[in-house]
Amino acid sequence: MSEHRFAVAVAWTGDRGEGTATYRGYGRDHEVTSAGVPTLLGSAHRTFHGDADRWNPELLLVAALSECHLLSYLHVCVRHDVVVTGYDDDASGSMRLNPDGSGEFTEVTLRPRVRLADPAQAELANTLHEEAARLCFIARSVAFPVHHEPTVV
C-alpha cells in the first residue's frame, strides 16, 4: 500500500470590517489554493448567506464524486478494451438539514452519458460503472449512497 497527501489552503476573504460580530454582518467568501493550480473562489450556498457566483462546499462534494467516477470509469474501460469517445454527467446530491443546525448529505446520483467508439459494447460499458464505483477513492470515503444512472448515447 502507498499513501498520498493532498494539501490545500483556505483563506477567508469575507470580513466586512466587523468580523463575525453578527451572523449577517460577514461574508462567506473564501479562496481555496493549492500549489500549481488556479485559485478556486468559494462561498457558502445562497441558503446560508453565500455568494451564488462562487463554488460552495456542497457543489464541490458532488463535483468530486462525479470527477472521481469519471476518472475511475475511464481507467476501467481501458482495462476492458472499451474505447470511450465522450463522457458527460449531470450529477446531483441531496442534503438534509437538522433542527440543531447540522446537516449531512443523504445521497448523490451520478448520471453519466457515455459515447463509445463501438456501440456494440454498450452493455459491457454500462456494467463497468459498477467496477468504477468500487475503485473511486471519493465514493469509498463518504458515508452516504452514491447512485449511478448511466446511459450510452
Side-chain angles (χ1 to χ4, degrees), residues 10-144:
V10 176
W12 176 52
T13 58
D15 184 4
R16 297 179 180 152
E18 60 184 66
T20 58
T22 64
Y23 183 70
R24 293 182 186 264
Y26 65 94
R28 277 55 174 183
D29 293 356
H30 56 274
E31 295 180 350
V32 181
T33 57
S34 189
V37 297
T39 297
L40 181 67
L41 301 179
S43 189
H45 186 272
R46 283 185 30 204
T47 302
F48 310 111
H49 308 287
D51 184 342
D53 294 329
R54 292 174 170 242
W55 286 91
N56 62 61
E58 296 81 13
L59 288 174
L60 291 169
L61 178 60
V62 174
L65 285 161
S66 179
E67 287 179 80
C68 188
H69 186 79
L70 160 69
L71 297 170
S72 296
Y73 182 74
L74 296 177
H75 170 75
V76 168
C77 285
V78 167
R79 289 182 23 199
H80 289 272
D81 297 318
V82 173
V83 177
V84 174
T85 59
Y87 182 110
D88 54 84
D89 183 11
D90 289 320
S92 62
S94 296
M95 188 179 83
R96 174 180 52 229
L97 293 178
N98 300 315
D100 67 359
S102 67
E104 61 270 339
F105 270 78
T106 57
E107 67 178 353
V108 165
T109 301
L110 308 179
R111 296 174 188 85
R113 287 179 306 282
V114 178
R115 286 171 295 291
L116 302 172
D118 181 1
Q121 291 184 308
E123 186 176 331
L124 172 60
N126 273 336
T127 66
L128 295 180
H129 286 281
E130 292 175 29
E131 185 177 344
R134 287 192 306 273
L135 295 177
C136 174
F137 308 147
I138 306 301
R140 292 174 56 91
S141 302
V142 298
F144 53 83

